[in-house]
Amino acid sequence: MSDFLMLDVHQLSTINHQPYTFNLQPPTLSVFNQSRKNVIMLVFASMFVIIILQLANLQIFSSKYKIMADDQGKFRKVIYPDRGIVYDRKHRPILQNMTIYDLMILPNKLKGIDTVAMCRILGIDSAQFAKKVVDVIVKNGRSRPSVFDALLTDEKMAMLNEAMYKFAPGFYLQERPVRSYPVDAGGNILGYLSEVDSNFLKKNITEGYQIGDYAGKTGLERTYEKVLMGQRGIEYWKRDNKNRLTERLEKGKFDTAAVAGNNMHLALDIELQALGEKLMANKLGAIVAVDPKTGGILAMISSPTFEPKLLTGATRKKHIAELLLNPALPLYNRTVSATYSPGSTFKTLQALVGLHEGVIKTSFRVACSGAFFGCGNGKPKCLDRGVFDLRGAITVSDNTYFATVMQKVINNPKYPSIDSSLSAWDKYMYAFGLGHKLGVDVPFEKSGYIPTPAFYNKIYGARHWNYCTFTSVSIGQGEVNVTPIQVANEMAFIANKGWYRIPHMVDSIEGGDKFNMLSKYQDQHNTTDIPDSVFEAVHDGMQNVVDRGTGIAAKVPGINICGKTGTVENYIHQVKQPNHAFFCGFAPRENPRIAIMCVVENSGRFGGTYAAPIVGLMIEKYLKDSITDKTRLERVEQLSKLNLIPPRIYKAIRTQDSMRHVRDSAYLVAKGYIKTIRDTMGLDDEDEQEALDKLKKDKESAKKEGQKKDSNRVPPKATIEGVLPDDRRRTEAKDTVKN
């Protein structure tokens, strides 16, 4: 090999004609070592620079690992404040707080958790556990804490406290103040709390709510959420190597204290409220009582109601599902959301308008031979034959008299057209507080309805209608609709001889009205210039109603009560139902302290039969502070035990409970019930789903049971009669019975 190389070199030197010597000696060892040393030093220097830069990144520029380290060594605990306490007018607490616990989850820390033990404690299987984990991740992400099981029962809490070390840090317990109710009354008024959902967060994006927070969803809890909620606090705790909390970080240096919500004082008399709920037991309807001088609501009963404690604590979901599926709609607040034709209670307003417009005087007399013949059809009917002046017509509730009065108002020659005369009449009704929302501080108030020229022009065409088109309106039937709160306010207006303050629940807020929520309730609304003499004439007739007329059952010894009965025809899907019974009034006449109304739905009797005695007992309780007479106390018990629930409700309940209906159409019908509540009280998606899930389980269970009994039998179709309060009674009144 060396000879071959030497030959090639020799040949190359010959070609160049120059001698050439090729040196194959390797470089010296010192030069080679020096080069390798430089490379090694460069590598180490580079690594050192990289390490320094990474350390700087981790310690100075990046917070990722700092957060991870802090998270392993400390725990951020949210402290939820106590909500404000609510007191009634006599400083009795009616809405307080108690502590319960939520089980919280951190999905990104579930590795190594004993899920089998957790499932056993919670009473769920692994599939349900996995679904709940997925749900909270979708709802709130992997790294944020979410409620896994809300409002734990005492049994679950006992088991979790013993085994919580098995579930840390993926799970922890969060204290939660929830409501307690010293008096079992006022469910529809006070409302309830539930966890905020995505829709709530979107609507209240600037309020600082987070998933896991609770907020008021109905009643006063909703209206005064800002006042009652308080401010969350934060505590930082140290953890040990087993994720147990040991002590406060830096002795609480970084903590922020929770601030309790503000307490509120109501106009409500909780004892009067409880009496009203007792009197309305086993009935559909409403009672509203107002202090006419202040506008403060003394009692607000929607029947059927529910125990407020049912919608708090660990069993809330179960109970709300049952209430949602009840055809009698106990969650529906009839006092502000239901609308009724007012019936003959409307005649007091017709009297005010007729006198003030000058179309009649108090001495104006009308003869009734059994019906009103001013439109040629003998309607409306009246049962009191005779000749009546204004006071007498109010006393006996004569239909012919007030049909004549309104005919004179609508055909008043001082107005150039019937459109303008009806518009003038409308203005009176609006001034009395009808046809629009009053602005009460109980949510979901409806406006009612007062017919306008535009309404009749749309239905019949311009100039194709006249007074005879809507004769029934003169006696509070037909197209006119009112809410119970409007009727109570109307009585306050008459009691005050021409003014009212907007009805409201809350009188004062401890710490002041920071959100300016109460100022509008201080304003006095003087909406007409009707003189006192006109009101005195109407008061005379209303006192006679109670002293010797259709409302004598409301009489209370020693108290001068002014009142008016009403018997109201109503229809559902054009099918006539039993009459509603109305009574409204105020007392005492000389210095009114209470204005009140009562409606008993579908009682089938006169307003003086049931509604009047209920109002009389409520007035006695409020003005005398108690009912002591033995006979009167027996009357309380008789009325409370009297069952006036209309047959259609029992039919709906039986059908819903029957196996055939559940297998057939209960799901859709119950969704109809739920829709009514959703539209009127802001139902949560979660609560709606809870009710539908319950119904679905009932359906599947009943189906299996039915298949066992007779797998070949095909159940007949079952039809549920409508019970929804939004079904209007927009129809001409038929012959009206005595009021």
Side-chain angles (χ1 to χ4, degrees):
M1 184 72 180
S2 61
D3 292 342
F4 175 76
L5 290 174
M6 289 300 296
L7 176 62
D8 287 342
V9 171
H10 177 73
Q11 291 174 347
L12 288 171
S13 62
T14 303
I15 293 170
N16 291 322
H17 305 286
Q18 293 180 1
Y20 182 80
T21 303
F22 192 83
N23 190 356
L24 294 178
Q25 292 290 331
T28 64
L29 182 61
S30 60
V31 175
F32 179 80
N33 288 341
Q34 184 66 32
S35 175
R36 187 171 63 176
K37 179 182 176 181
N38 292 338
V39 171
I40 291 172
M41 290 179 64
L42 182 61
V43 170
F44 274 98
S46 300
M47 292 176 61
F48 181 76
V49 171
I50 291 172
I51 291 171
I52 294 297
L53 291 174
Q54 182 64 7
L55 287 173
N57 177 57
L58 293 177
Q59 296 185 29
I60 300 174
F61 302 108
S62 174
S63 60
K64 175 182 177 182
Y65 291 97
K66 180 180 184 298
I67 292 172
M68 291 177 64
D70 287 346
D71 203 32
Q72 291 295 326
K74 69 182 181 182
F75 175 71
R76 180 180 181 273
K77 183 179 182 182
V78 178
I79 305 300
Y80 288 98
D82 285 340
R83 288 177 73 85
I85 299 172
V86 178
Y87 300 92
D88 85 335
R89 68 186 297 106
K90 295 183 179 179
H91 201 67
R92 294 171 290 208
I94 58 176
L95 192 53
Q96 295 179 313
N97 299 296
M98 65 179 182
T99 300
I100 201 166
Y101 288 83
D102 290 343
L103 179 64
M104 307 295 291
I105 183 174
L106 287 164
N108 63 344
K109 295 186 178 181
L110 287 181
K111 187 175 180 179
I113 296 297
D114 188 348
T115 56
V116 174
M118 178 61 77
C119 289
R120 185 167 55 250
I121 292 173
L122 299 181
I124 59 178
D125 57 33
S126 58
Q128 292 171 310
F129 180 90
K131 183 180 183 303
K132 293 187 74 166
V133 172
V134 171
D135 288 343
V136 297
I137 291 174
V138 171
K139 185 177 180 180
N140 204 26
R142 292 179 177 274
S143 59
R144 295 178 181 176
S146 300
V147 177
F148 191 77
D149 197 2
L151 308 176
L152 299 168
T153 62
D154 292 340
E155 293 77 11
K156 287 181 180 179
M157 272 299 302
M159 291 186 287
L160 283 170
N161 277 329
E162 292 181 1
M164 205 62 208
Y165 69 92
K166 297 179 181 179
F167 312 126
F171 290 93
Y172 66 91
L173 296 173
Q174 173 71 62
E175 290 183 7
R176 174 80 63 184
V178 297
R179 290 309 211 178
S180 62
Y181 302 88
V183 182
D184 191 13
N188 288 104
I189 301 169
L190 300 175
Y192 71 91
L193 307 175
S194 68
E195 186 182 354
V196 299
D197 56 17
S198 58
N199 290 331
F200 184 93
L201 292 176
K202 290 176 183 176
K203 293 177 182 177
N204 299 274
I205 194 169
T206 62
E207 302 297 325
Y209 290 97
Q210 302 172 2
I211 290 294
D213 290 350
Y214 277 52
K217 293 303 177 71
T218 61
L220 297 180
E221 295 277 28
R222 177 186 178 111
T223 303
Y224 291 94
E225 169 67 13
K226 287 182 178 181
V227 174
L228 296 170
M229 66 179 289
Q231 297 178 8
R232 291 184 298 271
I234 302 294
E235 291 180 355
Y236 294 94
W237 289 76
K238 293 181 180 178
R239 296 181 192 262
D240 63 14
N241 60 349
K242 293 184 178 180
N243 285 303
R244 294 174 298 193
L245 302 183
T246 55
E247 61 180 347
R248 303 274 277 278
L249 184 67
E250 298 290 333
K251 298 182 179 180
K253 177 181 178 181
F254 304 107
D255 295 353
T256 56
V259 179
N262 296 100
N263 300 335
M264 301 195 311
H265 297 266
L266 308 186
L268 185 79
D269 185 320
I270 195 61
E271 289 186 353
L272 187 66
Q273 176 77 19
L275 174 62
E277 292 185 9
K278 180 175 182 178
L279 291 169
M280 289 297 290
N282 303 307
K283 303 167 188 69
L284 304 184
I287 302 174
V288 179
V290 174
D291 182 335
K293 300 302 181 188
T294 67
I297 297 173
L298 307 173
M300 180 177 267
I301 295 93
S302 178
S303 184
T305 186
F306 57 90
E307 299 176 13
K309 66 184 179 183
L310 295 179
L311 297 187
T312 190
T315 57
R316 187 187 77 85
K317 288 185 178 181
K318 172 189 172 185
H319 290 137
I320 201 166
E322 293 171 348
L323 292 170
L324 283 169
L325 296 174
N326 188 330
L329 303 175
L331 292 176
Y332 183 71
N333 191 348
R334 289 168 164 84
T335 64
V336 294
S337 296
T339 58
Y340 306 87
S341 296
S344 291
T345 62
F346 203 56
K347 293 172 181 176
T348 55
L349 303 183
Q350 302 290 49
L352 292 175
V353 176
L355 290 171
H356 191 238
E357 282 291 293
V359 296
I360 63 167
K361 295 182 178 180
T362 56
S363 59
F364 175 71
R365 301 169 74 84
V366 171
C368 177
S369 59
F372 171 69
F373 292 97
C375 290
N377 56 5
K379 294 181 180 180
K381 301 291 185 183
C382 56
L383 300 182
D384 294 283
R385 298 170 185 267
V387 179
F388 307 102
D389 63 6
L390 178 75
R391 293 174 175 84
I394 293 175
T395 302
V396 301
S397 196
D398 183 67
N399 289 336
T400 297
Y401 189 94
F402 291 100
T404 303
V405 171
M406 187 168 182
Q407 185 179 42
K408 287 180 172 292
V409 169
I410 297 300
N411 294 335
N412 192 339
K414 81 174 186 179
Y415 296 106
S417 67
I418 190 172
D419 287 52
S420 57
S421 62
L422 181 58
S423 293
W425 180 85
D426 286 338
K427 289 179 181 178
Y428 279 104
M429 296 302 118
Y430 298 149
F432 300 153
L434 306 182
H436 61 91
K437 295 179 182 180
L438 293 169
V440 300
D441 54 357
V442 178
F444 311 113
E445 181 190 5
K446 295 295 185 294
S447 60
Y449 188 77
I450 295 296
T452 64
F455 173 80
Y456 290 120
N457 286 338
K458 182 178 179 180
I459 299 298
Y460 301 104
R463 297 184 299 278
H464 286 82
W465 55 273
N466 55 36
Y467 167 69
C468 293
T469 308
F470 53 90
T471 313
S472 56
V473 170
S474 64
I475 58 171
Q477 296 274 182
E479 292 78 21
V480 61
N481 276 287
V482 297
T483 62
I485 189 69
Q486 288 174 335
V487 177
N489 184 67
E490 166 197 323
M491 289 297 105
F493 175 86
I494 295 175
N496 293 331
K497 298 178 182 177
W499 61 270
Y500 68 88
R501 287 190 169 94
I502 298 173
H504 57 279
M505 276 284 176
V506 177
D507 267 350
S508 64
I509 299 171
E510 291 184 11
D513 184 16
K514 300 175 184 177
F515 302 102
N516 193 32
M517 302 182 74
L518 304 182
S519 59
K520 68 178 182 179
Y521 302 123
Q522 309 304 317
D523 297 335
Q524 182 171 307
H525 294 263
N526 299 282
T527 56
T528 69
D529 59 353
I530 299 174
D532 286 359
S533 59
V534 170
F535 285 101
E536 284 293 343
V538 174
H539 288 190
D540 289 342
M542 294 177 69
Q543 183 173 344
N544 289 339
V545 167
V546 179
D547 287 348
R548 54 184 176 83
T550 58
I552 196 169
K555 194 168 185 176
V556 177
I559 300 175
N560 288 329
I561 300 174
C562 295
K564 186 69 191 75
T565 54
T567 306
V568 181
E569 291 192 342
N570 63 101
Y571 297 78
I572 295 179
H573 300 312
Q574 287 73 53
V575 177
K576 191 178 187 308
Q577 305 296 312
N579 294 323
H580 299 326
F582 262 79
F583 185 85
C584 57
F586 59 89
R589 177 180 177 178
E590 300 77 15
N591 181 29
R593 293 172 52 201
I594 182 172
I596 186 170
M597 69 80 61
C598 173
V599 55
V600 182
E601 292 183 23
N602 302 127
S603 72
R605 302 298 297 273
F606 304 134
T609 306
Y610 301 125
I614 288 174
V615 166
L617 291 166
M618 293 285 285
I619 289 174
E620 181 175 0
K621 166 63 179 171
Y622 182 68
L623 295 182
K624 294 187 175 183
D625 197 49
S626 62
I627 300 172
T628 57
D629 181 79
K630 182 179 178 181
T631 303
R632 301 286 287 173
L633 289 172
E634 289 175 353
R635 186 61 172 146
V636 170
E637 295 303 319
Q638 291 169 359
L639 286 168
S640 68
K641 294 176 182 177
L642 182 66
N643 191 335
L644 297 176
I645 297 289
R648 74 172 191 277
I649 299 296
Y650 287 109
K651 179 180 177 182
I653 293 173
R654 286 194 302 270
T655 310
Q656 190 183 88
D657 288 344
S658 72
M659 177 186 63
R660 290 177 302 179
H661 175 60
V662 172
R663 289 177 62 187
D664 215 27
S665 58
Y667 190 80
L668 295 176
V669 172
K671 277 191 81 170
Y673 299 150
I674 294 169
K675 183 180 185 301
T676 299
I677 302 299
R678 168 182 280 282
D679 293 344
T680 55
M681 61 169 280
L683 180 66
D684 282 4
D685 292 339
E686 181 182 0
D687 292 336
E688 178 178 0
Q689 191 58 49
E690 191 73 24
L692 295 178
D693 287 346
K694 180 182 186 301
L695 190 60
K696 186 176 180 181
K697 290 177 183 177
D698 292 344
K699 178 180 178 181
E700 292 171 351
S701 175
K703 185 175 181 179
K704 291 177 182 178
E705 184 65 25
Q707 288 172 343
K708 290 179 183 178
K709 292 182 177 180
D710 185 359
S711 60
N712 296 319
R713 179 172 57 84
V714 178
K717 297 287 183 181
T719 302
I720 290 293
E721 196 167 52
V723 68
L724 306 185
D726 281 345
D727 288 325
R728 294 290 182 258
R729 285 77 55 191
R730 297 288 173 93
T731 180
E732 283 291 315
K734 308 299 181 185
D735 294 349
T736 306
V737 295
K738 178 181 178 181
N739 293 292

